Amino acid sequence: MAALRQNQSVENKHKLSNTLRNWLPILHSSLSDLGEAMSPFIDANPVVEVKSGYEENFEKKIPRKIISGQVSNSRTEQIEALTIQKRSLYDVLDEQLEAPLFPTPISQSIASFVVANLDENGYYEGDSEAFCKIKNIDISEFEKVRLRFSHVEPIGVAAKDLAESFVFQLESSDISEEAYPLCVEVINNMEDIHSYSRKEHFSEVMRVLGTFKNPPAIEYQEDSAQIIPDLMIFFNDDEAIEVKLNDAYYPTILIDTSYAVEHEFISQKIKEAKSLVDALDMRKATLYKVGLMIVEYQYEFFTGGAIMPLTLKTLADEFGHNPSTISRAIANKYIACNRGVFAMKEFFTTAIDEDVSNAAIKEFLVTIVKRENHNKPLSDMKLLDMIQEKFKVTMVRRTIAKYRKQLNIAGSSERKKLYYLH
């Protein structure tokens, strides 16, 4: 009897393992790429047939409360974008996280961490020291692996700032050997770019710099408007907020049980097919729970207020997963509501204090820079004073500089030169 219980336990663990193995790539993919993510699991399975979820009219699947609601965000029009999204930045990078650039388990682990901690522009903003402490590796080893991203497409991603991104891109450019040293010097001293104008090869340097992507993930930002939301959040007829999965867009998995199940091969394929169904259900359950948590923590936003502080760690603790796994899970996932269509990651911010999120700070920073006097751009200290006065918080100047870099906003001197050029 003990042996029977042991066999059942092993079988259950094996089933769970198969489901989890299927679940991760299915969870990480966007809704529009779900069919492609599932294809490796179904191509070699004769008992599975998949019916696409894209055959009906999308607008009919959106609750009328979302379409007819008074919307204060221009991105509402994105609800009706029906074009299937191209491969995401994560998809493109994942394909390259292997030999020869990342041949060892530790190099692949570092590379995966770097990818999981890219901001919307493609810049790396992860806590390298914390990762190295957990993995018991030296920071120099981490950096050695991160710098290999200079050979990864799209070139420039995983750099820490604009200058480093340009250096990454320089290595793959067609610049001549004679102009290369000057280009490196110009990149590292962009604020004084005009001081090099009389140097030999300056025109070639400017031509090459003009071909660089800024920010490095810009082509994926442009595609992100053409999306299909995973969740819809709206107020029902009883004025209660409701979270609804966009499950009508999920592919339907049909299992053909007409085969002779006593055949070992067929029996195994049916088990694999059932694991795939379980994995798809796990994706739905996970994203639905994410939606419920977002409503719980960001209720004020859905009633017209601002996004409140909410970290990935809070969500990770609820799920019992690593924050980097949650970061990948919400990547390329979107929510439609009566204020528009929003990336899930927009609902997760770091708190400046109990009531102010860094998302609000960054939004204000962008606004005041857009309105600044082009002849006298605001210094970081002036920006700091304005932010502290607006939000009644205490910050330091280097935090403003950090936010500028994340938002791809140049320093005041460089902005003045850029305004002059335009």
Side-chain angles (χ1 to χ4, degrees):
M1 194 70 175
L4 177 60
R5 282 199 297 269
Q6 185 176 9
N7 288 338
Q8 288 175 335
S9 176
V10 171
E11 184 178 337
N12 288 337
K13 286 182 179 179
H14 180 67
K15 177 182 178 182
L16 183 60
S17 176
N18 282 337
T19 300
L20 289 174
R21 187 169 62 248
N22 295 344
W23 173 64
L24 288 175
I26 288 174
L27 178 66
H28 292 166
S29 68
S30 65
L31 185 54
S32 58
D33 292 332
L34 193 53
E36 184 179 342
M38 291 169 55
S39 61
F41 306 109
I42 63 178
D43 286 347
N45 196 326
V47 305
V48 173
E49 180 185 350
V50 177
K51 183 179 178 182
S52 172
Y54 286 89
E55 296 174 0
E56 299 176 34
N57 184 303
F58 177 45
E59 186 173 323
K60 292 179 181 178
K61 301 173 183 177
I62 303 175
R64 190 54 44 187
K65 285 281 185 177
I66 292 180
I67 297 176
S68 61
Q70 292 297 316
V71 180
S72 59
N73 191 298
S74 62
R75 284 180 286 183
T76 302
E77 295 178 2
Q78 296 172 6
I79 287 180
E80 298 176 2
L82 299 178
T83 305
I84 298 178
Q85 187 182 9
K86 296 179 182 178
R87 289 192 306 162
S88 72
L89 178 63
Y90 286 117
D91 294 332
V92 172
L93 293 175
D94 278 346
E95 294 174 356
Q96 303 173 74
L97 302 189
E98 55 187 23
L101 285 176
F102 309 106
T104 64
I106 187 61
S107 66
Q108 291 177 3
S109 177
I110 292 171
S112 296
F113 179 80
V114 169
V115 171
N117 286 275
L118 298 178
D119 67 13
E120 63 273 15
N121 295 314
Y123 292 112
Y124 171 69
E125 59 174 4
D127 190 340
S128 307
E129 292 182 359
F131 177 85
C132 290
K133 187 175 181 181
I134 293 172
K135 296 293 184 178
N136 194 27
I137 60 174
D138 192 80
I139 190 70
S140 62
E141 181 180 357
F142 180 95
E143 280 297 288
K144 190 181 297 182
V145 173
R146 184 184 67 82
L147 292 175
R148 295 177 195 170
F149 276 85
S150 62
H151 305 289
V152 168
E153 292 285 348
I155 297 172
V157 298
K160 290 185 176 179
D161 52 36
L162 177 63
E164 189 177 52
S165 175
F166 275 13
V167 170
F168 281 10
Q169 295 179 64
L170 180 63
E171 299 305 315
S172 303
S173 71
D174 62 352
I175 196 167
S176 66
E177 291 185 11
E178 295 77 15
Y180 180 89
L182 177 62
C183 196
V184 172
E185 195 173 344
V186 169
I187 288 172
N188 290 317
N189 196 20
M190 292 288 284
E191 292 188 1
D192 293 323
I193 190 170
H194 290 289
S195 65
Y196 299 95
S197 60
R198 297 185 181 276
K199 295 270 189 178
E200 188 179 6
H201 307 301
F202 180 73
S203 60
E204 182 183 355
V205 167
M206 294 304 293
R207 176 190 65 79
V208 171
L209 291 179
T211 66
F212 290 172
K213 293 176 181 175
N214 177 24
I218 189 169
E219 61 189 279
Y220 296 92
Q221 291 179 327
E222 291 171 350
D223 289 342
S224 65
Q226 299 175 334
I227 53 92
I228 293 174
D230 288 79
L231 293 172
M232 292 170 284
I233 297 176
F234 57 97
F235 287 88
N236 60 28
D237 294 336
D238 297 326
E239 294 305 316
I241 200 163
E242 188 171 330
V243 178
K244 188 179 188 309
L245 274 169
N246 192 5
D247 53 5
Y249 263 79
Y250 276 78
T252 302
I253 300 175
L254 305 174
I255 303 175
D256 188 348
T257 57
S258 64
Y259 289 91
V261 293
E262 64 272 9
H263 194 290
E264 185 177 347
F265 173 79
I266 296 300
S267 177
Q268 178 61 32
K269 291 303 177 183
I270 290 177
K271 286 181 181 179
E272 290 175 5
K274 289 180 178 178
S275 291
L276 188 59
V277 173
D278 291 340
L280 206 56
D281 288 341
M282 284 180 68
R283 174 198 163 95
K284 292 180 181 180
T286 301
L287 292 179
Y288 183 69
K289 186 174 180 181
V290 170
L292 291 177
M293 286 194 65
I294 287 175
V295 168
E296 180 180 348
Y297 285 93
Q298 305 291 3
Y299 186 84
E300 287 188 19
F301 171 81
F302 295 103
T303 57
I307 290 178
M308 300 300 291
L310 174 61
T311 65
L312 283 175
K313 186 177 184 305
T314 301
L315 191 62
D317 290 344
E318 288 279 342
F319 279 86
H321 291 307
N322 188 288
S324 63
T325 301
I326 299 301
S327 175
R328 303 296 298 279
I330 65 173
N332 304 308
K333 312 296 189 306
Y334 295 84
I335 289 176
C337 66
N338 69 335
R339 297 186 68 177
V341 178
F342 299 85
M344 280 191 184
K345 66 180 181 180
E346 292 187 47
F347 294 97
F348 296 88
T349 61
T350 302
I352 299 296
D353 67 11
E354 187 175 344
D355 299 311
V356 180
S357 71
N358 66 1
I361 299 284
K362 288 179 180 179
E363 186 176 348
F364 180 68
L365 178 60
V366 169
T367 300
I368 56 181
V369 168
K370 281 183 177 179
R371 297 173 179 173
E372 71 182 352
N373 185 336
H374 288 193
N375 295 320
K376 193 176 181 180
L378 300 166
S379 67
D380 284 353
M381 284 305 298
K382 181 59 179 175
L383 292 171
L384 174 64
D385 291 341
M386 294 173 72
I387 287 171
Q388 289 186 145
E389 181 179 354
K390 166 75 173 177
F391 294 96
K392 310 302 180 189
V393 295
T394 301
M395 301 172 67
V396 294
R397 188 197 64 78
R398 66 175 178 271
T399 302
I400 302 302
K402 174 185 174 183
Y403 286 175
R404 274 199 303 97
K405 290 179 180 179
Q406 291 175 352
L407 294 165
N408 197 33
I409 297 174
S412 56
S413 299
E414 185 180 349
R415 293 203 305 277
K416 187 172 183 178
K417 293 183 176 73
L418 291 172
Y419 291 145
Y420 174 78
L421 288 173
H422 287 81

